[in-house]
Amino acid sequence: MPLQNLPCLSLQGSMLSQSKKINKRKSRDCCLSEGLDMECTPTEFIQQWSPHHKHQRLISKGKENNSNQFVLARRSRRKKESTSCISWDHLPDELLLRILFYIPLQDLLSMSIVCKRWHRLAFDESLWHSVDLEGLTQMGPALQQVLKNGVRMLRCPRSFVEELHFTVTGPLQIVRMDLSSSIIPTSSLESIICHCRLLEYLSLEGLQLSDTIISSLSMNPNLLQLNLSGCSGFSAPPLADMLKSCTRIEQLNISWCDFNNNHVKSVVNNVSSSVTHLNLSGYRESLTLDDVKVLVTRCSHIQALDLSDSTLLMADSFPVLKQLKDLLHLSLSRCYHIHLAALTDLGTTFPMLSLLDVFGIVNGSHLSSLKKEMPRVSINSRPFSSIARPTPVTRPIGNFMWNKKCQLRFKV
């Protein structure tokens, strides 16, 4: 090839190369334009929702129409929801109730004001199965709310309850209740007991009662343990009717009540024949040998019997008590007409006897000699009776009553 033709070829090649680049760019622009048209994607929409941190590239459709521009932008991918963190709102009620079961009472009440759902769950009956309100003051509204929530075990001894306006019309679900040594108006107690039909364990120790309360207890035929120690304010006829109706009573503590001989006779003549633990202590001039004879004849399965402070009883009661073949625990403390010599024969009179309480009768050296005479019997080891009491006096266990633990407890 002639040398003079080289510049022309070079220029022509350069022009051809440049022309190819322009055509290639136009072809690519057309494809992009057609692609966006096919997707029906407005420019403004892409500009609005494209992430700001992404680099946006402006492309024009040629020099002849600079005003018509579109944007190239990468659409952000939708992030997958993290499976490691689960919202409380996604948990079913059953699982939330299981969690709330372990939360203290104060925290449960605080949670109830978070939202409507948590309020509904916080007052679910399953969480209020057993409640301990021991020692609270001015607990009238709280007690009413707890009873409405369907509580089945209620422990609130030594509490102060003001006048209670109980509005529940149907029967309560309560099965175990301890109101021992509480300060509660008789009318308020009546409004509670009158709605009880399922009671099995009840302690009203030291309370002022009424004939209405005793009559209402007759509507609880499943009553197994009843503690009325130190109670007053009721007459003998309602007591007799109640004991006739509650035929399943196994443990009855009716010691040191405001009784006369008519009350005592109502007990021995009507208490359930299936009773195994009975405390009739404290009736110095009211309990007679004839009453003991009636009691032993009717209730031959007694295992624990407390006749302490019955000053009319003497050694002639032992042949009568001998009929109790299953007797394991006998209390005759402060029965001053029973002499030491008569006590030494109790080991052979009661072959099953393992516990004997004779406080006030035997002391000092006489106690040591009596223990030698009765080596297999534990003497004066139980100063306080535990019959029908919700918590043993000698070793009280907080938050427990009748060997059952209360789940919700208000900590003072």
Side-chain angles (χ1 to χ4, degrees):
M1 181 180 295
L3 295 175
Q4 61 271 18
N5 295 334
L6 287 176
C8 297
L9 290 173
S10 176
L11 179 62
Q12 185 178 1
S14 176
M15 292 178 64
L16 287 172
S17 175
Q18 200 162 10
S19 175
K20 287 180 180 180
K21 290 181 180 179
I22 294 172
N23 291 335
K24 189 175 181 179
R25 185 181 299 170
K26 287 183 178 181
S27 175
R28 185 178 63 186
D29 293 345
C30 289
C31 290
L32 288 171
S33 176
E34 289 175 2
L36 286 175
D37 291 340
M38 290 176 64
E39 290 182 1
C40 301
T41 308
T43 302
E44 295 80 9
F45 183 83
I46 296 177
Q47 290 176 341
Q48 180 180 358
W49 293 101
S50 296
H52 297 291
H53 63 276
K54 297 294 183 180
H55 176 68
Q56 296 181 353
R57 183 179 175 188
L58 295 176
I59 298 180
S60 62
K61 288 187 177 182
K63 295 181 180 179
E64 68 277 6
N65 193 7
N66 292 330
S67 61
N68 211 355
Q69 294 180 343
F70 63 90
V71 177
L72 286 180
R74 180 180 296 175
R75 293 183 181 180
S76 61
R77 294 182 180 180
R78 187 176 181 181
K79 294 182 179 180
K80 294 182 179 180
E81 294 184 0
S82 175
T83 57
S84 60
C85 183
I86 301 177
S87 172
W88 286 90
D89 295 334
H90 295 162
L91 297 179
D93 287 356
E94 294 78 7
L95 184 55
L96 283 175
L97 287 173
R98 189 60 182 170
I99 296 173
L100 297 181
F101 183 78
Y102 298 97
I103 293 179
L105 180 56
Q106 287 97 323
D107 296 337
L108 188 64
L109 295 176
S110 299
M111 290 179 59
S112 66
I113 62 176
V114 172
C115 61
K116 290 183 178 179
R117 186 192 182 200
W118 283 26
H119 182 274
R120 173 175 56 83
L121 292 175
F123 288 100
D124 189 86
E125 285 188 7
S126 62
L127 301 179
W128 295 82
H129 179 271
S130 56
V131 181
D132 185 357
L133 302 175
E134 179 183 5
L136 291 187
T137 60
Q138 298 180 351
M139 56 171 291
L143 180 59
Q144 184 167 340
Q145 182 63 50
V146 167
L147 293 173
K148 284 182 179 180
N149 288 343
V151 63
R152 296 179 65 84
M153 288 177 54
L154 177 61
R155 181 177 184 269
C156 49
R158 295 172 291 280
S159 302
F160 175 76
V161 183
E162 62 271 34
E163 194 68 33
L164 185 66
H165 302 286
F166 206 55
T167 57
V168 174
T169 56
L172 297 175
Q173 301 299 313
I174 194 161
V175 176
R176 299 173 181 236
M177 182 166 62
D178 179 14
L179 294 173
S180 303
S181 304
S182 294
I183 300 176
I184 178 172
T186 304
S187 58
S188 299
L189 186 58
E190 286 178 355
S191 63
I192 296 175
I193 301 297
C194 287
H195 290 87
C196 294
R197 299 292 183 274
L198 304 175
L199 285 173
E200 295 180 6
Y201 298 81
L202 177 64
S203 179
L204 302 176
E205 183 170 346
L207 301 187
Q208 178 77 21
L209 306 183
S210 66
D211 288 346
T212 302
I213 293 175
I214 298 299
S215 299
S216 298
L217 292 179
S218 304
M219 301 179 184
N220 295 268
N222 295 324
L223 200 59
L224 298 175
Q225 294 192 26
L226 177 61
N227 180 18
L228 298 180
S229 176
C231 292
S232 59
F234 55 96
S235 57
L239 177 62
D241 294 338
M242 183 270 291
L243 294 175
K244 287 179 183 178
S245 301
C246 301
T247 58
R248 297 185 60 190
I249 289 182
E250 298 174 355
Q251 294 194 26
L252 175 63
N253 189 337
I254 200 159
S255 61
W256 293 99
C257 294
D258 185 16
F259 276 8
N260 54 35
N261 187 251
N262 291 330
H263 289 86
V264 173
K265 292 186 180 302
S266 294
V267 175
V268 298
N269 287 318
N270 298 285
V271 66
S272 171
S273 59
S274 61
V275 67
T276 58
H277 295 67
L278 178 63
N279 189 341
L280 263 176
S281 62
Y283 303 115
R284 296 183 174 91
E285 306 295 332
S286 300
L287 183 66
T288 65
L289 180 60
D290 291 336
D291 297 327
V292 176
K293 290 179 180 179
V294 173
L295 176 65
V296 169
T297 303
R298 294 188 61 257
C299 308
S300 58
H301 301 291
I302 292 179
Q303 300 175 12
L305 179 62
D306 192 342
L307 300 177
S308 300
D309 297 280
S310 300
T311 55
L312 297 182
L313 295 184
M314 295 184 291
D316 57 355
S317 62
F318 290 168
V320 178
L321 295 174
K322 188 178 179 179
Q323 302 177 46
L324 301 176
K325 304 298 182 181
D326 300 325
L327 189 63
L328 300 174
H329 186 184
L330 177 62
S331 296
L332 297 172
S333 299
R334 294 169 297 280
C335 294
Y336 298 112
H337 289 164
I338 298 177
H339 299 289
L340 175 62
L343 295 176
T344 56
D345 297 332
L346 290 179
T348 56
T349 305
F350 303 99
M352 300 291 292
L353 191 67
S354 59
L355 294 169
L356 175 64
D357 296 325
V358 285
F359 292 99
I361 301 177
V362 182
N363 296 300
S365 60
H366 298 292
L367 179 60
S368 300
S369 61
L370 183 61
K371 288 182 177 180
K372 291 180 181 180
E373 294 286 340
M374 307 171 65
R376 60 180 180 81
V377 179
S378 177
I379 303 176
N380 287 358
S381 60
R382 305 287 179 88
F384 303 102
S385 174
S386 60
I387 294 176
R389 283 199 165 106
T391 306
V393 179
T394 54
R395 46 183 183 87
I397 304 174
N399 211 24
F400 277 81
M401 63 176 185
W402 291 290
N403 298 321
K404 293 286 186 178
K405 182 180 181 180
C406 292
Q407 180 62 33
L408 284 178
R409 185 180 186 184
F410 193 92
K411 298 180 180 179
V412 182

